[in-house]
């Protein structure tokens, strides 16, 4: 017997209603069907609205059996409507600036390393005045040890002390790059894919307001974020 997807359908439709209420000057979902900008979505808007009303206003069950079955295709329809009205944008997938672990140049390197190990962070930006001034990774530690010896990694070591090791470099020789928030998800995906053919593969892209290293940090995104 086919599983009833009514709960999934209604939950997604509630998300659509909430988005419409927050972003459009519309009080009734039916109004969207008359708006020229949503002409291509009219049939799907009408279908999803009618099915939502059908499911919400009546008890379509009898003797424990469902009289109306919501199929996978109906769930796909409401999902298509959701992403058509509210396109998948880069910042919806990215880790936003406020969620990024981004030490200042004056912060302790070893304290940051411990946190990176605990949270499985590969790369962290070093930020001053909302701007990235360096990028640190665990590989940086190996370079410091190789050149300065293990004694260089004391608790008092700060990122400012190792700035030559974390200073920003050209994207062609770095595991990171910079993009702006208007970059499409498709372009970001393509950028990561193309880097596979490079000697140094991209592992993270930092999002700044101007798409350059001298811009204000807005977020970051990795291939894992795209998969999620």
């Amino acid at each position: 017997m086919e599983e009833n997807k009514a709960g999934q359908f209604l939950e997604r439709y509630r998300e659509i209603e909430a988005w419409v209420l927050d972003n459009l000057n519309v009080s009734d979902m039916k109004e969207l069907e008359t708006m020229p900008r949503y002409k291509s979505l009219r049939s799907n808007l009408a279908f999803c609205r009618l099915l939502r009303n059908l499911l919400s206003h009546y008890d379509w069950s009898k003797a424990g059996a469902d009289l109306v079955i919501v199929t996978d295709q109906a769930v796909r329809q409401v999902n298509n409507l959701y992403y058509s009205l509210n396109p998948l944008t880069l910042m919806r997938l990215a880790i936003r600036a406020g969620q990024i672990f981004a030490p200042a140049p004056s912060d302790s390197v070893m304290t940051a390393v411990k946190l990176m190990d605990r949270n499985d962070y590969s790369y962290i930006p070093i930020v001053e005045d909302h701007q990235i001034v360096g990028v640190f990774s665990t590989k940086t530690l190996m370079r410091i040890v190789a050149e300065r010896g293990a004694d260089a990694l004391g608790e008092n070591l700060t990122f400012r002390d190792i700035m030559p090791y974390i200073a920003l470099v050209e994207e062609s020789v770095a595991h990171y790059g910079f993009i702006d928030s208007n970059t499409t998800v498709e372009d970001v995906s393509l950028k990561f894919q193309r880097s596979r053919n490079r000697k140094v593969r991209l592992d993270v892209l930092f999002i700044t307001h101007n798409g350059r290293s001298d811009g204000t940090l807005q977020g970051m995104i990795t291939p894992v974020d795209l998969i999620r």
Side-chain angles (χ1 to χ4, degrees), residues 8 17 36 40 51 53 99 103 119 122 126 135 147 164 175 196 221 225-226:
Q8 293 181 33
E17 289 180 311
S40 63
L51 182 54
N53 291 340
Q99 301 171 305
N119 293 279
S122 298
I126 310 306
V135 176
E147 295 182 17
H175 289 280
R196 294 175 183 174
I221 190 164
D225 298 316
L226 289 178

Side-chain angles (χ1 to χ4, degrees), residues 91 94-102 121 218 220:
M91 293 307 293
I95 304 169
R96 293 180 178 269
Q99 301 171 305
I100 298 172
F101 175 53
Y121 296 153
Q218 295 180 320
M220 62 182 283

Side-chain angles (χ1 to χ4, degrees), residues 125-221:
I126 310 306
V127 175
E128 188 170 35
D129 296 329
H130 306 289
Q131 183 178 324
I132 297 177
V133 294
V135 176
F136 178 81
S137 75
T138 51
K139 294 177 182 178
T140 310
L141 286 181
M142 293 187 285
R143 286 185 56 206
I144 295 173
V145 171
E147 295 182 17
R148 296 186 181 182
D151 291 340
L153 304 180
E155 291 295 331
N156 294 326
L157 187 70
T158 69
F159 287 104
R160 198 179 304 281
D161 297 328
I162 62 168
M163 195 57 69
Y165 294 92
I166 62 175
L168 301 178
V169 296
E170 293 292 328
E171 184 174 310
S172 59
V173 294
H175 289 280
Y176 55 85
F178 294 87
I179 54 174
D180 65 60
S181 59
N182 292 319
T183 307
T184 66
V185 174
E186 290 78 10
D187 284 344
V188 169
S189 179
L190 189 59
K191 197 174 183 68
F192 279 124
Q193 289 176 29
R194 285 175 174 168
S195 79
R196 294 175 183 174
N197 298 322
R198 284 178 18 185
K199 185 176 180 180
V200 180
R201 187 175 65 181
L202 276 176
D203 291 323
V204 59
L205 287 169
F206 295 107
I207 305 166
T208 63
H209 83 281
N210 60 6
R212 301 194 306 266
S213 60
D214 61 352
T216 301
L217 178 63
Q218 295 180 320
M220 62 182 283
I221 190 164

Side-chain angles (χ1 to χ4, degrees), residues 33-50:
E33 298 165 36
T34 64
M35 298 172 66
R37 64 185 291 191
Y38 296 123
K39 181 179 179 180
S40 63
L41 302 178
R42 280 177 188 168
S43 60
N44 200 10
L45 280 164
F47 166 77
C48 291
R49 177 177 56 81
L50 291 172

